């Protein structure tokens, strides 16, 4: 029997590891779906709390900004105090923030609760992925585990739409937040009884200047994309935000070469395969979040779907992502290089996007929307699983938390940028179309609907281009070979026979 220096069974032989995966996956699903679960509920929340059209975006943005901006700090905290302990703290804090948001009586209270949710999600997500990385070290089991994890990471956003639609239509929008409380309670109990981990690394220190520079730069850039929609790309505030964001991130990189305990050790992103995975993930999610945003409004506003029907319309996408991750990628990754899955995956996803560019004000879901969603889902499933597995393979234990955080940061920053950037493109294109075609006031309603759909299709063309760019990045940068069943594959070298 293999044991660790702490006397615990080696993670690869833990008899409860698959139940532990259930707990890890449950927590990850909660974090990912919460980025989208309130989308369908947003109109109801806006009416109840009196939000303006300009401010309502912060229900989404406050979460993704806090999540993406603080993930690297969360990864370092996981390395410092231990992954299991950080995992439990993140679950408890996330549940408390969710309850606060559900009980919100003002818009500002809801915005604050959503930001708090994002902060605790930033603690929870990297510890979850780190626990998965150190729990499954056998290549065959690792492939299956990451297939399940990748499926949840890719489909969680779509599941959020389904759950959000059901809760909004049959209860009310507040339950889109309250629902996290019982899930977190179950996950905490499971974590305390099923998960194992070594103590934290006493040598890890928190890089406070790095936190300020890195988080500040990300927030400035994403906020700049958000403000570009109402103000325009050449507005002085927007340009100042972009300039400040770039300057802060450049200073962050410089500081990481000199910090005694860097927030993001640069050797992690200097690795060609990891850097390629991080960039591929960010680009893929830019396009994916754009799809969710436009299809939600298209189905509800243009086609007149109810919240539940809108949520269910995303179900084929979710199923396709799960099949792509667990039945295709997980089975093929031990035999082919990661880019042989990632490149075709991005091409398939881009193909689905191109089909969506043909939609009109009266498109048929079955013949025009459904095929696109299936292609998108399969493409994402083929991509997400090898990205997670390759980016975290062979990482030193003291760096597993921050590496996991960097994967999640790529995902959240991509989602924030994609939502803000593509929404700005769609809105601008719609306004231009309406101004050019509105000649007869009696046709205003039809022209506006056509203009809105035209804006969506222009933005989706851009998203398709981003997907192809992600495929190009994966093909050129991710040169890793198929994983092999050797002791070197294990990221837990402390284990001894």
């Amino acid at each position: 029997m293999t044991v660790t220096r702490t006397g615990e069974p080696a993670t690869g032989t833990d008899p409860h590891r698959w139940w532990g995966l259930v707990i890890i996956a449950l927590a990850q699903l909660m974090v990912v779906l919460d980025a989208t679960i309130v989308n369908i509920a947003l109109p109801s929340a806006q009416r109840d709390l009196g939000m303006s059209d300009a401010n309502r975006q912060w229900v989404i943005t406050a979460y993704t900004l806090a999540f993406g901006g603080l993930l690297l700090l969360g990864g370092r905290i996981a390395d410092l105090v231990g992954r299991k302990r950080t995992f439990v703290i993140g679950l408890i804090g996330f549940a408390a923030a969710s309850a606060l948001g559900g009980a919100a009586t003002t818009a500002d209270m809801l915005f604050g609760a959503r930001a708090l949710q994002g902060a605790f999600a930033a603690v929870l997500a990297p510890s979850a992925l780190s626990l998965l990385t150190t729990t499954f070290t056998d290549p065959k089991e690792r492939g299956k585990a990451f297939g399940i994890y990748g499926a949840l990471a890719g489909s969680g956003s779509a599941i959020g739409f389904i759950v959000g639609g059901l809760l909004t239509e049959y209860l009310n929008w507040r339950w889109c937040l309250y629902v996290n409380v019982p899930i977190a309670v179950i996950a905490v109990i499971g974590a305390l009884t099923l998960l194992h981990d070594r103590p934290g690394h006493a040598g890890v220190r928190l890089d406070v200047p790095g936190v300020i520079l890195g988080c500040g730069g990300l927030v400035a850039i994403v906020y700049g994309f958000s403000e570009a929609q109402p103000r325009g790309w050449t507005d002085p505030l927007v340009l100042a935000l972009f300039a400040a964001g770039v300057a802060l991130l450049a200073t962050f990189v410089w500081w990481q070469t000199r910090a005694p305990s860097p927030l993001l050790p640069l050797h992690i992103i200097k690795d060609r395969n990891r850097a390629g995975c991080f960039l591929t993930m960010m680009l893929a999610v830019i396009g994916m979040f754009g799809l969710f945003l436009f299809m939600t409004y298209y189905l509800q506003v243009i086609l007149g779907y109810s919240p539940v029907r809108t949520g269910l319309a995303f179900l084929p996408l979710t199923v396709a992502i799960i099949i792509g991750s667990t039945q295709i990628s997980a089975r093929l990754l031990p035999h082919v290089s990661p880019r042989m899955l990632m490149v075709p995956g991005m091409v398939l996803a881009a193909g689905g996007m191109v089909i969506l560019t043909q939609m009109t004000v009266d498109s048929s879901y079955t013949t025009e929307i459904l095929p696109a969603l299936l292609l998108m889902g399969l493409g994402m499933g083929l991509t997400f699983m090898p990205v997670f597995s390759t980016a975290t393979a062979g990482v030193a234990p003291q760096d597993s938390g921050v590496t996991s955080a960097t994967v999640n940061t790529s995902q959240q920053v991509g989602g924030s940028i994609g939502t803000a950037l593509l929404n700005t493109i769609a809105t601008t294109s719609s306004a231009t179309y309406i101004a050019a075609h509105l000649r007869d006031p009696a046709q205003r309603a039809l022209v506006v609907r056509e203009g809105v759909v035209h804006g969506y299709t222009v933005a989706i063309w851009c998203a398709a281009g981003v997907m192809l760019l992600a495929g190009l990045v994966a093909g050129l940068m991710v040169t890793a070979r198929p994983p092999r069943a050797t002791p070197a594959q294990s990221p837990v070298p402390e284990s001894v026979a």
Side-chain angles (χ1 to χ4, degrees):
M1 177 179 178
T2 303
V3 297
T4 64
R5 289 173 182 169
T6 59
E8 294 178 353
T11 53
T13 58
D14 182 357
H16 302 300
R17 61 191 179 280
W18 291 106
W19 283 109
L21 173 62
V22 172
I23 298 302
I24 295 170
L26 187 65
Q28 176 66 13
L29 177 63
M30 181 178 68
V31 167
V32 174
L33 68 82
D34 222 72
T36 57
I37 192 172
V38 299
N39 271 321
I40 294 178
L42 188 53
S44 299
Q46 182 180 359
R47 288 193 300 269
D48 279 1
L49 301 181
M51 299 178 211
S52 68
D53 288 344
N55 288 336
R56 66 185 178 186
Q57 65 160 327
W58 287 105
V59 176
I60 309 299
T61 310
Y63 180 84
T64 55
L65 276 177
F67 194 177
L70 295 174
L71 266 167
L72 289 174
L73 176 62
R76 270 305 180 210
I77 291 175
D79 291 332
L80 175 63
V81 304
R83 303 173 191 92
K84 178 178 176 179
R85 184 180 302 174
T86 306
F87 185 76
V88 172
I89 292 172
L91 284 169
I92 294 172
F94 195 89
S98 299
L100 180 65
T105 55
T106 65
D108 288 341
M109 183 176 175
L110 180 58
F111 299 157
R114 289 287 287 167
L116 198 58
Q117 274 187 307
F120 279 106
V123 173
L124 177 60
S127 58
L129 186 53
S130 296
L131 285 168
L132 181 65
T133 301
T134 55
T135 297
F136 293 92
T137 57
D138 177 80
K140 291 183 179 180
E141 289 192 346
R142 183 183 177 89
K144 294 178 182 177
F146 272 92
I148 295 171
Y149 187 89
L152 288 173
S155 64
S157 298
I159 294 173
F161 285 114
I162 298 172
V163 176
L166 291 169
L167 293 174
T168 301
E169 189 156 330
Y170 294 110
L171 293 172
N172 62 53
W173 68 268
R174 296 181 185 276
W175 279 96
C176 291
L177 295 162
Y178 286 144
V179 70
N180 291 319
V181 176
I183 296 176
V185 170
I186 295 171
V188 167
I189 295 172
L192 293 175
T193 56
L194 295 171
L195 298 179
H196 302 287
D197 187 35
R198 299 179 309 278
H201 296 271
V204 176
R205 295 291 181 267
L206 297 182
D207 176 17
V208 176
V211 172
I212 296 172
L213 292 169
C215 295
L218 290 174
V219 168
I221 288 177
V222 174
Y223 186 43
F225 278 117
S226 298
E227 288 298 306
Q229 178 188 353
R231 294 176 179 271
W233 291 102
T234 58
D235 182 83
L237 175 62
V238 173
L239 295 177
L241 286 169
F242 286 146
V246 171
L248 286 169
L249 290 178
T251 307
F252 169 79
V253 173
W254 170 82
W255 171 250
Q256 295 308 286
T257 64
R258 291 160 174 77
S261 298
L263 183 66
L264 176 60
L266 294 185
H267 67 264
I268 290 176
I269 57 175
K270 284 180 179 178
D271 180 271
R272 178 173 180 165
N273 290 298
R274 289 197 194 97
C277 286
F278 298 151
L279 189 54
T280 300
M281 171 63 82
M282 185 177 72
L283 292 171
V285 174
I286 285 176
M288 187 175 182
F289 267 61
L291 170 76
F292 288 152
L293 175 69
F294 301 133
M295 291 311 300
T296 299
Y297 280 94
Y298 177 76
L299 292 172
Q300 288 196 71
V301 177
I302 303 300
L303 298 186
Y305 282 22
S306 69
V308 170
R309 191 179 179 189
T310 300
L312 292 175
F314 284 100
L315 186 58
L317 174 72
T318 304
V319 173
I321 290 175
I322 293 173
I323 292 173
S325 292
T326 62
Q327 301 304 312
I328 302 177
S329 286
R331 294 176 184 272
L332 292 180
L333 187 59
H335 309 290
V336 301
S337 61
R339 65 178 171 182
M340 295 300 292
L341 297 170
M342 296 161 66
V343 174
M346 287 293 91
V347 172
L348 277 176
M353 287 285 193
V354 171
I355 293 175
L356 284 179
T357 61
Q358 308 306 306
M359 66 187 185
T360 64
V361 293
D362 54 2
S363 291
S364 166
Y365 174 82
T366 304
T367 59
E368 298 175 66
I369 307 301
L370 179 60
L373 294 180
L374 291 174
L375 284 177
M376 277 285 298
L378 285 174
M380 287 297 179
L382 285 172
T383 303
F384 279 132
M385 184 268 169
V387 163
F388 281 119
S389 182
T390 305
T392 57
V395 178
Q398 65 269 23
D399 288 330
S400 64
V402 71
T403 303
S404 303
T406 307
V407 179
N408 282 283
T409 296
S410 302
Q411 194 173 0
Q412 293 304 315
V413 171
S416 299
I417 292 175
T419 300
L421 172 62
L422 295 177
N423 190 50
T424 298
I425 293 172
T427 304
T428 305
S429 300
S430 294
T432 302
Y433 180 95
I434 293 170
H437 291 80
L438 186 57
R439 300 183 179 90
D440 183 359
Q443 298 294 317
R444 178 176 178 81
L446 177 60
V447 172
V448 168
R449 284 161 56 86
E450 290 177 342
V452 169
V453 175
H454 172 76
Y456 294 165
T457 58
V458 171
I460 290 173
W461 271 116
C462 295
V466 174
M467 292 286 190
L468 290 177
L469 179 59
L472 180 63
V473 168
L476 294 177
M477 295 185 65
V478 183
T479 58
R481 295 180 179 181
R484 295 175 181 173
T486 63
Q489 175 71 23
S490 171
V492 195
E494 293 97 317
S495 296
V496 294

